[in-house]
Amino acid sequence: KMLEKIGWMVSMDSDGVEAVKRAREKTEDIIFMDSQMPRMDGITATRTIKEENPESLTPIIGLSGNVIDRDNNGRLSSDMDDMLLKPVISAELKKMLYKWVAA
C-alpha cells in the first residue's frame, strides 16, 4: 500500500515459488522479498533468482522483522542486495527506492 500510495505499480506473490516464477517471466524494477514465506522462503527464492539470472540488475531487498537475520553488511542474506526491517517505515522505504532505483 505504501508503494501504491507514492505511485508505484505493485505485483505481489504469496510465496517464494511464485516469486521465482514471476522473476523468470518478467523483469521488475525492484523486488522486495520477505524472509519467511510458505513453500519457499525468501532467502532460497533470492538465491534461485540470482543463480538463474546472474546478469540481472534487479535489486532484491530483503524484508525481515528480525534484526538477527542480517549479515555483517546489513543485508538479510549475502544474496540480497539490501534489507528493510519490518514494520517498514515509509521514509525508509523511500530511501531504499531512491538508493536502488531512482539513482
Side-chain angles (χ1 to χ4, degrees):
K1 290 188 187 263
M2 283 190 268
L3 288 167
E4 289 172 339
K5 198 173 191 176
I6 58 174
W8 282 74
M9 288 180 44
V10 176
S11 301
M12 289 182 42
D13 299 308
S14 60
D15 60 49
V17 173
E18 289 180 17
V20 169
K21 182 180 177 198
R22 182 183 303 277
R24 286 179 184 139
E25 296 170 354
K26 186 176 181 205
T27 301
E28 303 288 355
D29 292 326
I30 191 167
I31 297 171
F32 291 97
M33 185 75 74
D34 199 325
S35 63
Q36 296 182 4
M37 293 185 290
R39 296 203 301 164
M40 181 188 291
D41 64 75
I43 293 170
T44 303
T46 297
R47 285 189 184 128
T48 303
I49 291 167
K50 297 271 185 170
E51 287 170 2
E52 289 183 1
N53 192 359
E55 304 297 317
S56 174
L57 299 177
T58 302
I60 300 179
I61 311 304
L63 299 170
S64 177
N66 188 351
V67 175
I68 296 171
D69 285 342
R70 295 190 303 184
D71 70 10
N72 292 332
N73 295 315
R75 296 176 298 201
L76 184 59
S77 83
S78 59
D79 296 309
M80 293 183 179
D81 298 297
D82 216 328
M83 80 166 294
L84 280 173
L85 288 175
K86 295 186 293 185
V88 176
I89 297 166
S90 181
E92 294 297 317
L93 177 62
K94 288 176 184 176
K95 278 188 209 177
M96 194 66 65
L97 291 169
Y98 181 77
K99 177 179 179 180
W100 289 102
V101 180

